[in-house]
Each structure stands twice: as structure tokens, then as C-alpha cells.
């Protein structure tokens, strides 16, 4: 039925299959933990995790931690998008700008972000700035090249037609290039937001007093695997929610792509 | 009627760098012709003969190597809205609706008040028969409709002359004939000069006031045929004796050029095979000092 090559799934079928994968994980987890196949210290039961999560919410200001993390991600992400999108566009539009900025961007892009932690602390201290700077470095340099690549892939006939209709270069950029790449840039943002969350943990594990990363780090120190798992699950849930939001937003913004 | 929309191509040549230093690819060679105001000129030539290059030079999208193009006695440099171009590829902007696409160029017509944009756009949309699709997106249009949209958008920008590069090349025969008729109607209504490039003999004869037959690469003027078929033209003409007579004449020219294109292709392939020998010589020389 649904197993033909490249066959589209109906909504019901999609929910069935994705629900199955969720249930499957839960079943395997339950068997391993309730059945004592794995020591509960290493793998707490689902009910322990639920209990721990509720406790974290009610007694440990988990909402504050979540907010601290979301805030850092949002600031760093918006900041890098606000600079990377225009810069990527300009790099694609004007050769000298690309030639000037590509070498340093490529260089930084290959640096492992954790290696920069000591430097960011040295430069901007251990406050919010160092975490945001770290996330910014992790996302900006990737995003700018993705945007440039999208801009390079716009069909040149679009520009030519705009010029023959009377547009100047400024208008060709703002009325053709930018709207043409928007759907792809939106997808780039969706992907890089995921990366941003992975760097968040690195930022918060080092010298933070709030945030989910901090929570996980503390739990590790006091050997509370159920809190670690709880924190990891919360990040996963936030990821699913934000990704779903991106998906829905994309359909609303770029509905014109559907035939 | 004004004399706006006259085009003059003077001793035009275009040589592309082929990478190897000594020889470039000659796309257009010493080509000259005139187009009168309101005239429908068709450039007919085999695929790859350089007719697209010629049209792109007229549009200002390429620089000529020698010679020049004049529109209304002004030398052309760079693209401008006085020379509208319709491409073979679909170029309607997918992020805009049909009416927004048509309105795109109105911003560059200072004489048009923004209050009239919708009215003007609707006029050209209905001129190409897209009424009712004003708010559709490009992804909802067929290929033929997209080309009609491209024509409407170009006409709305009010160019002196329309340059059309095989705009119906990727359409099926029925759609193509329908669009040919519509284009003739639109030209009549708007009184525009058109330079139309195609390799389709029937299309060329059906549309043209004057037919310029080009040679295989490089594009040179082989001959010029004035088409005296009555206007407005109907599809029945295509099977009439007059049409077939012209077609027979045109085909004798185009078949000659097609044969030449074939020879050209074979020679090119043969040339591509020869460098092997040079390579061997080079590698022998390189290994010598070692032994």
C-alpha cells in the first residue's frame, strides 16, 4: 500500500507510522528498564523521568532554565540571521565582497566551537555575552555560506528579465534575488536553528548558572541520570515544537510553491 | 503612427573566448539588417547558429565584439525597458501572482500613475487571455499560460520593441498555434515592433512580415524573404497553396544550412579527438630528465 517508491503518504498513514516509531521507542525503553535488564541507575524508567520532570517544574524553576536557554538561542540566532542573510546576498551579488569575506568565513567555519570556549570567556567574560557569542560563531559562519549558495543558484534569466523590464541593480537585488531565495533561506534557518541548540549545551555546560545545559551539567556532577535524561528530553521536545512551527510557517509564507 | 521602434543592426560580430588563446568561437559574423517600426521580423536559423546571441546583443545582455545596434538611431548599451525580452525559458516570478508579475515593470514607467497600475495590468492580462487568473501563482499555470504571462508582462512595460527568443519552443503544437495567433493579435492591438527568433519554419512564415534566414554558425544573413500573406492571419493559411509555396522556398535554404551544421559538428568532434597526440608528446618530454 504505502511502500511504493517515492509514494506520498496520506495524513492518516503519516500519523500511523510516526506514532508507531514513538510507541516502539517507549516499549523498548519500558522493557529494558521495568524488566531490570539494565540497572535503573543507568537507565531510569519512563515513570521516573515523568516524575522527575514534574518535580523539576514544580520545585526547581525549570521554566526559568528553559527560558534562559530559549532566550540565548533566540538572540544568537536572530543576530546571526540578521547579519548572515544580507551579507550572503551581497557576497553572491558582488565578487569583491565574496573574495574579501570567503577566506575568513571558511576558516572559522571549520573551527570546532568547543575549542573557542576559553577564548570567548577571555574576550567577553562568563556572562550572557560569552554564550551568545559562542552560539553566534557556531551558526553565523555556516548560515552565511548557505545563503550565498542559494543566491548563486538563482536562474540568471530572472535577473535578465528584470533588467529588460527597466529595473536597476538595486531593484534586481531587492525585488528579484531576495524574494527568489527566501524559501531556501527559510529552510537554511530551520536547519541552523537545530545546530544552534547543540552549541547551546556547550555554552551552558561551561560557567553558567541557568539554562538547560547548566541543569544537565549539575545533574551529572551529583550523579542524577534521571535529571540528565529529563533535560535531554525537554530539549528534544523544544526542538520538535520549533521545527513544527517552522514547517507550518513555511507553508503559510511560501504557499505559492505548491501547484 | 510614430517612427518609434526602429532597429538597426550594423556590421555586428560576436566572438566568444573558447579557452584556447588563438581561436574563439565566432557566433555572429558581420551581420546587418534594419527593422521598421511596427514590423514583425523573424530570424530563422538552425539550432546553435548564434541567433540567441544576436538577440541578446540587441537586448543589451551581451556586448558585441564589433559593430553596433541602434534603436531609434540611439546606440544600444546595456539592457533597458525600451527593449523588452521574452525568453525561451519560463521566467515568470514564482513568488508573485499573475497580476503582480505584470505590474513588475510598471514601477519603471514614470509616466504611469500608481493608481492606474491595476487597470493597466488587467488590460494586458486580458489581451493574452489570462482573465480570471489574476491572483493565481505561477505554479498553478501551464507552460503556455506562463509564456502568455511573460508576453503580457513585457508589453506592460511598454517597450519600443519586443525581442522574442523561441518563446514557444517548449510548447506542444496546439498550444503553439494558439499562442502564435494571440501574439499576432497582441502585436496588432499594441502596434509593436517584434524581432522573433525561431528554428521552426512554419512558425517563422506564419508570423513574419519579413523573414531573415541565417546561416549555420557563424550567423550571417543568408537571404531575406518578404512574406505577403494577408493579415490578419488565420490558421487555415498554413495549409493553403501560397503558404506551401513559401515553405518550399524557405526549406531549400534551411536544408542547406542544416547540412552545414552537421558538417560543422563532425569537424568539431574530430578536433576534440586530436589533442591526444600532443598530450603524449608532453608526457614523454616530462619523463626524459628522470631516465
Amino acid at each position: 500500500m504505502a511502500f511504493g517508491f517515492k509514494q506520498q503518504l496520506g495524513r492518516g498513514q503519516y500519523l500511523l507510522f510516526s506514532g508507531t516509531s514513538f510507541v516502539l521507542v517507549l516499549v523498548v525503553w519500558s522493557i529494558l528498564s521495568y524488566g531490570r535488564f539494565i540497572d535503573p541507575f543507568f537507565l531510569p524508567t519512563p515513570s521516573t523521568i515523568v516524575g522527575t520532570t514534574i518535580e523539576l517544574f514544580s520545585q526547581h524553576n525549570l521554566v526559568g532554565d528553559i527560558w534562559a536557554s530559549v532566550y540565548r538561542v533566540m538572540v544568537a540566532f536572530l543576530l546571526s540571521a540578521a547579519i548572515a542573510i544580507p551579507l550572503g546576498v551581497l557576497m553572491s551579488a558582488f565578487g569583491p565582497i565574496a573574495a574579501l569575506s570567503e577566506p575568513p568565513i571558511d576558516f572559522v567555519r571549520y573551527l570546532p566551537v568547543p575549542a573557542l570556549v576559553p577564548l570567548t570567556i577571555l574576550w567577553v567574560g562568563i556572562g550572557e555575552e560569552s554564550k551568545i557569542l559562542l552560539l553566534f560563531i557556531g551558526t553565523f559562519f555556516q548560515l552565511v555560506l548557505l545563503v550565498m549558495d542559494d543566491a548563486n543558484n538563482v536562474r540568471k534569466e530572472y535577473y535578465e528579465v528584470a533588467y529588460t523590464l527597466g529595473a536597476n541593480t538595486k531593484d534586481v537585488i531587492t525585488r528579484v534575488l531576495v524574494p527568489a531565495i527566501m524559501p531556501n533561506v527559510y529552510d537554511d534557518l530551520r536547519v541552523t536553528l537545530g545546530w544552534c541548540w547543540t552549541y547551546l549545551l556547550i555554552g551552558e555546560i561551561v560557567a553558567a548558572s541557568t539554562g538547560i545545559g547548566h541543569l544537565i551539567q549539575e545533574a551529572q556532577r551529583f550523579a542524577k541520570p534521571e535529571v540528565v535524561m529529563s533535560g535531554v528530553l525537554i530539549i528534544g521536545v523544544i526542538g520538535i515544537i520549533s521545527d513544527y512551527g517552522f514547517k507550518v510557517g513555511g507553508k503559510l509564507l511560501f504557499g505559492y510553491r505548491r501547484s | 503612427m510614430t517612427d518609434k521602434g526602429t532597429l538597426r543592426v550594423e556590421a555586428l560580430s560576436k566572438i566568444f573566448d573558447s579557452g584556447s588563446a588563438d581561436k574563439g568561437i565566432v557566433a555572429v559574423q558581420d551581420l546587418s539588417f534594419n527593422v521598421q517600426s511596427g514590423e514583425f521580423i523573424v530570424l530563422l536559423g538552425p539550432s546553435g547558429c548564434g541567433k540567441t546571441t544576436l538577440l541578446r546583443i540587441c537586448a543589451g545582455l551581451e556586448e558585441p565584439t564589433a559593430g553596433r545596434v541602434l534603436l531609434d538611431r540611439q546606440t544600444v548599451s546595456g539592457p533597458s525597458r525600451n527593449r523588452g525580452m521574452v525568453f525561451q525559458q519560463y521566467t515568470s516570478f514564482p513568488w508573485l501572482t499573475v497580476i503582480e508579475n505584470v505590474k513588475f515593470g510598471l514601477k519603471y514607467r514614470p509616466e504611469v500613475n500608481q493608481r492606474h497600475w491595476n487597470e493597466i495590468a488587467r488590460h494586458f492580462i486580458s489581451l493574452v487571455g489570462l482573465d480570471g487568473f489574476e491572483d493565481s501563482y505561477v505554479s498553478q499555470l501551464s507552460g503556455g499560460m506562463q509564456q502568455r504571462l511573460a508576453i503580457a508582462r513585457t508589453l506592460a512595460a511598454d517597450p519600443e520593441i519586443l525581442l522574442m527568443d523561441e518563446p514557444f519552443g517548449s510548447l506542444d503544437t496546439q498550444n503553439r498555434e494558439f499562442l502564435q495567433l494571440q501574439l499576432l493579435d497582441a502585436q496588432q492591438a499594441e502596434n509593436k515592433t517584434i524581432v522573433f527568433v525561431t528554428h521552426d519554419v512554419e512558425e517563422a512564415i506564419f508570423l513574419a512580415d519579413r523573414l531573415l534566414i541565417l546561416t549555420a554558425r557563424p550567423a550571417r544573413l543568408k537571404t531575406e524573404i518578404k512574406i505577403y500573406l494577408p493579415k490578419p492571419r488565420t490558421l487555415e493559411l498554413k495549409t493553403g497553396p501560397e503558404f506551401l509555396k513559401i515553405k518550399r522556398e524557405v526549406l531549400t535554404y534551411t536544408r542547406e544550412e542544416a547540412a552545414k551544421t552537421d558538417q560543422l559538428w563532425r569537424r568539431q568532434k574530430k578536433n576534440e579527438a586530436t589533442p591526444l597526440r600532443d598530450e603524449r608528446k608532453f608526457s614523454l618530454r616530462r619523463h626524459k630528465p628522470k631516465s
Side-chain angles (χ1 to χ4, degrees), chain A residues 5-257:
Chain A
F5 180 65
K6 289 267 178 191
Q7 193 180 328
Q8 288 282 321
L9 287 185
R11 194 168 169 74
Q13 283 173 318
Y14 180 82
L15 287 175
L16 178 74
F17 282 102
S18 55
T20 306
S21 86
F22 179 73
V23 171
L24 215 61
V25 170
L26 207 61
V27 166
V28 172
W29 180 11
S30 298
I31 291 172
L32 291 176
S33 56
Y34 291 121
R36 299 267 162 180
F37 291 98
I38 295 177
D39 189 318
F41 179 76
F42 296 113
L43 187 72
T45 59
S47 47
T48 314
I49 299 296
V50 172
T52 308
T53 310
I54 292 169
E55 197 190 307
L56 285 172
F57 268 115
S58 57
Q59 290 166 26
H60 288 89
N61 192 22
L62 184 59
V63 177
D65 279 328
I66 292 175
W67 170 244
S69 294
V70 170
Y71 170 78
R72 285 164 191 155
V73 168
M74 292 295 276
V75 170
F77 182 70
L78 292 177
L79 201 65
S80 53
I83 305 174
I85 295 172
L87 183 59
V89 165
L90 290 175
M91 282 168 71
S92 167
F94 303 107
I97 297 182
L100 273 172
S101 23
E102 235 178 326
I105 288 174
D106 268 330
F107 178 78
V108 178
R109 198 163 67 95
Y110 280 96
L111 296 181
V113 171
L116 298 175
V117 170
L119 278 180
T120 58
I121 291 175
L122 191 65
W123 289 337
V124 294
I126 55 166
E128 286 304 291
E129 296 86 353
S130 76
K131 280 123 213 150
I132 289 167
L133 179 64
L134 204 67
L135 298 188
F136 177 82
I137 294 170
T139 45
F140 169 78
F141 294 95
Q142 312 281 346
L143 189 58
V144 71
L145 290 185
L146 287 171
V147 172
M148 181 182 76
D149 217 40
D150 287 333
N152 285 342
N153 285 331
V154 176
R155 292 167 48 201
K156 79 175 198 308
E157 289 89 8
Y158 284 157
Y159 307 140
E160 293 182 341
V161 105
Y163 276 121
T164 58
L165 288 170
N168 55 22
T169 301
K170 180 188 142 277
D171 274 11
V172 169
I173 293 174
T174 55
R175 296 185 76 198
V176 180
L177 197 164
V178 170
I181 63 170
M182 271 309 135
N184 294 327
V185 168
Y186 190 82
D187 287 342
D188 296 341
L189 290 177
R190 196 175 146 193
V191 173
T192 44
L193 181 61
W195 297 343
C196 213
W197 275 98
T198 59
Y199 296 130
L200 171 79
L201 270 280
I202 295 162
E204 287 183 344
I205 278 171
V206 183
S209 53
T210 52
I212 304 171
H214 167 69
L215 177 81
I216 292 171
Q217 170 71 5
E218 285 279 298
Q220 186 211 352
R221 202 187 297 165
F222 298 111
K224 290 183 183 162
E226 70 280 2
V227 176
V228 175
M229 279 186 72
S230 190
V232 169
L233 282 177
I234 286 165
I235 293 175
V237 169
I238 294 173
I240 288 180
I241 292 171
S242 74
D243 204 60
Y244 184 76
F246 256 101
K247 234 189 226 175
V248 172
K251 272 185 190 160
L252 289 174
L253 286 169
F254 307 111
Y256 61 77
R257 288 198 289 182

Side-chain angles (χ1 to χ4, degrees), chain B residues 6-264:
Chain B
T6 63
L7 189 79
R8 192 179 168 84
V9 173
E10 275 183 6
L12 202 72
S13 292
K14 177 73 183 178
I15 302 168
F16 285 107
D17 278 334
S18 67
S20 66
D22 53 338
K23 261 191 226 157
I25 295 168
V26 185
V28 181
Q29 194 174 50
D30 197 26
L31 191 66
S32 301
F33 61 88
N34 285 320
V35 183
Q36 260 122 56
S37 174
E39 200 177 15
F40 200 129
I41 288 280
V42 175
L43 300 168
L44 180 67
S47 296
C49 81
K51 42 192 198 309
T52 295
T53 306
L54 171 61
L55 210 61
R56 289 175 59 84
I57 293 171
C58 293
L61 297 170
E62 306 260 5
E63 290 280 320
T65 311
R68 57 178 182 164
V69 176
L70 298 102
L71 180 77
D72 300 330
R73 304 207 179 93
Q74 295 280 313
T75 303
V76 156
S77 74
S80 145
R81 77 171 184 88
N82 59 22
R83 284 156 285 130
M85 178 116 172
V86 179
F87 292 78
Q88 183 179 7
Q89 300 89 345
Y90 301 140
T91 53
S92 302
F93 301 133
W95 58 90
L96 299 178
T97 61
V98 166
I99 193 162
E100 288 166 345
N101 262 288
V102 177
K103 283 196 282 190
F104 186 92
L106 294 178
K107 187 185 168 190
Y108 310 109
R109 289 177 61 182
E111 79 281 9
V112 174
N113 192 306
Q114 192 166 353
R115 271 180 310 165
H116 302 304
W117 283 11
N118 276 320
E119 189 189 323
I120 293 171
R122 275 176 215 286
H123 164 74
F124 287 103
I125 287 169
S126 90
L127 188 72
V128 299
L130 283 178
D131 318 67
F133 287 93
E134 286 86 353
D135 299 319
S136 302
Y137 281 104
V138 174
S139 62
Q140 297 163 305
L141 303 182
S142 68
M145 288 162 95
Q146 286 196 43
Q147 287 311 66
R148 279 141 77 184
L149 173 55
I151 292 167
R153 179 175 60 180
T154 311
L155 285 172
D158 194 29
E160 307 295 339
I161 186 168
L162 241 75
L163 307 166
M164 307 185 80
D165 183 16
E166 302 201 37
F168 310 145
S170 50
L171 305 180
D172 60 62
T173 317
Q174 287 79 13
N175 246 309
R176 189 186 266 246
E177 290 193 323
F178 181 62
L179 262 73
Q180 288 165 0
L181 280 174
Q182 234 177 11
L183 177 61
L184 287 173
D185 285 348
Q187 189 217 9
Q188 214 70 31
E190 300 297 315
N191 192 23
K192 292 285 176 201
T193 313
I194 296 184
V195 177
F196 189 105
V197 155
T198 184
H199 63 260
D200 182 325
V201 173
E202 267 192 28
E203 179 169 79
I205 300 169
F206 185 68
L207 293 173
D209 293 324
R210 199 149 51 95
L211 194 57
L212 304 181
I213 299 179
L214 302 178
T215 59
R217 213 172 67 204
R220 263 172 301 193
L221 192 60
K222 186 173 177 79
T223 189
E224 180 185 318
I225 299 174
K226 202 143 169 76
I227 310 285
Y228 289 107
L229 292 170
K231 279 194 158 183
R233 297 196 176 152
T234 57
L235 289 174
E236 286 72 46
L237 275 176
K238 285 194 179 184
T239 44
E242 195 62 26
F243 193 93
L244 293 177
K245 207 183 113 204
I246 301 168
K247 189 174 169 182
R248 205 171 304 138
E249 186 190 348
V250 173
L251 280 175
T252 54
Y253 292 116
T254 54
R255 281 180 184 147
E256 265 175 48
E257 289 313 310
K260 269 191 225 162
T261 311
D262 185 59
Q263 279 167 14
L264 205 80

